[in-house]
Amino acid sequence: MKNIQLNRMRNDKGFIAALDQSGGSTPKALEIYGIPKEAYSNETEMFQLVHQMRSRIMESPAFTKDRILAAILFEKTMDSKVEGLYSADYLWEKKGIVSFLKVDKGLADLENGVQLMKPIPNLNELLARANERHIFGTKMRSVIKEVNKEGIKAIVDQQFEIGKIICDAGLVPIIEPEVDIHTVNKKEAEAILKEELISHLKALDESCQVMLKLTIPDEANLYADIMKLPNVVRVVALSGGYSREEANEKLAKNHGLIASFSRALSEGLNDNQSDDAFNQMLNQSIQNIYDASIK
């Protein structure tokens, strides 16, 4: 199954749906979806509601392998069920969609213009459980906010250090050093990031296959040569706070770069919508993101 999924991720057309809002971002995601904070009284109820939202997306007839390669799941989503199956099993067996797991535990405080990842306790145990749940790969996010060579190097060092552990566990890591879209001289930060990424990728053992999730660059096709490196399965783009329309417009200028959108995917969806209205809105969102990803 892993080889079939690897081939799909490397070669098939489509994009990645990011369904991995965690504790910090979940209340905002629910509020945008039409569920206010007053609708739940504790974290357990909050995560039940967000799982219902994610399940509704996954179960939608619009959410299919024809346009969606994979979905990124939050840990609680991985351990929850959809139609009686664990989420990754449902996605693969019923939809033909590959699953990734968000493994980072959030961001550290700003230092040297960047936010590294917080420590990930019990990572090996989490990776073992991910394998049991038939997860294909992982995702972990850190953020660049300023043009700072020392900080950007530290971001990439940390990402690849943990990425190697994930490779050793038999999973494919998505390395995500996001460049904040509001970064002053964002283009310069992206140029430094690219140099660091290439340096680490060329030093990586050929048995370690990775993916990269990057902010859509200001310079079109900036990452085209990275896509050709043998260790790179795919390079995908995050929407980074852009509206869906703007993200799609920018994405379409970058050949070979496919979407991995969260906010831009769920934009316009609402808990109070009828199933027909919900599925129609989701179908249009998916089609727009797909079109921008296969240009």
Side-chain angles (χ1 to χ4, degrees):
M1 184 174 76
K2 288 273 186 177
N3 286 336
I4 294 172
Q5 292 181 337
L6 179 62
N7 182 67
R8 175 165 172 74
M9 293 311 305
R10 192 186 295 277
N11 299 310
D12 288 359
K13 291 182 178 180
F15 68 94
I16 298 175
L19 305 175
D20 60 326
Q21 295 95 342
S22 56
S25 57
T26 297
K28 184 177 180 181
L30 283 173
E31 190 170 3
I32 293 171
Y33 183 57
I35 299 178
K37 292 180 180 179
E38 296 76 30
Y40 50 90
S41 57
N42 54 51
E43 191 176 82
T44 299
E45 292 179 1
M46 179 185 74
F47 282 121
Q48 286 174 344
L49 287 169
V50 82
H51 184 64
Q52 290 172 15
M53 178 186 76
R54 291 166 177 156
S55 296
R56 193 180 186 191
I57 292 172
M58 289 187 278
E59 291 171 338
S60 171
F63 200 83
T64 67
K65 66 178 182 181
D66 297 331
R67 296 176 293 182
I68 298 170
L69 295 174
I72 303 173
L73 308 178
F74 178 50
E75 185 178 346
K76 288 185 181 294
T77 308
M78 175 184 75
D79 290 328
S80 299
K81 293 185 176 181
V82 181
E83 295 185 3
L85 296 171
Y86 284 110
S87 295
D89 290 332
Y90 172 80
L91 285 169
W92 183 247
E93 294 176 18
K94 301 297 184 181
K95 298 278 188 165
I97 292 172
V98 177
S99 290
F100 289 83
L101 173 67
K102 169 187 164 67
V103 296
D104 70 83
K105 301 301 180 183
L107 301 171
D109 293 336
L110 187 70
E111 185 177 352
N112 291 329
V114 304
Q115 288 182 277
L116 296 170
M117 291 180 284
K118 291 179 179 177
I120 308 175
N122 305 314
L123 176 61
N124 288 326
E125 290 85 345
L126 178 59
L127 298 177
R129 201 163 87 253
N131 276 311
E132 291 173 2
R133 293 280 184 263
H134 303 138
I135 297 290
F136 172 77
T138 65
K139 191 214 78 159
M140 48 190 178
R141 171 179 173 260
S142 41
V143 179
I144 297 164
K145 289 184 172 289
E146 299 173 12
V147 177
N148 184 307
K149 288 187 177 182
E150 183 180 349
I152 294 172
K153 182 180 187 304
I155 282 260
V156 180
D157 286 348
Q158 184 192 44
Q159 284 276 349
F160 276 84
E161 179 184 357
I162 299 173
K164 290 173 185 176
I165 295 171
I166 293 165
C167 282
D168 289 342
L171 298 163
V172 175
I174 296 179
I175 289 168
E176 184 183 2
E178 174 182 347
V179 178
D180 190 300
I181 62 172
H182 303 296
T183 300
V184 177
N185 296 323
K186 175 173 174 281
K187 187 174 181 180
E188 184 179 350
E190 288 168 340
I192 297 169
L193 173 62
K194 178 183 176 182
E195 289 182 9
E196 287 294 333
L197 289 172
I198 289 175
S199 175
H200 281 74
L201 287 165
K202 288 186 173 179
L204 201 59
D205 187 277
E206 62 182 22
S207 65
C208 183
Q209 298 288 301
V210 305
M211 294 175 58
L212 301 175
K213 182 170 178 175
L214 305 171
T215 308
I216 304 170
D218 282 3
E219 179 185 331
N221 298 307
L222 176 68
Y223 301 120
D225 45 351
I226 286 181
M227 296 176 191
K228 299 173 184 177
L229 296 176
N231 291 85
V232 178
V233 176
R234 205 93 184 222
V235 181
V236 305
L238 56 100
S239 51
Y242 292 125
S243 68
R244 181 172 60 237
E245 182 178 358
E246 190 174 7
N248 286 337
E249 181 182 340
K250 291 177 177 294
L251 180 66
K253 296 176 182 177
N254 289 268
H255 181 71
L257 190 65
I258 67 170
S260 175
F261 291 172
S262 173
R263 286 180 295 268
L265 173 67
S266 58
E267 187 178 306
L269 300 180
N270 192 281
D271 182 53
N272 297 315
Q273 287 171 320
S274 67
D275 286 344
D276 284 346
F278 180 92
N279 292 331
Q280 185 176 357
M281 174 68 72
L282 181 60
N283 179 66
Q284 189 60 58
S285 297
I286 288 172
Q287 188 62 48
N288 289 342
I289 296 170
Y290 175 80
D291 288 343
S293 294
I294 64 165
K295 66 287 165 196

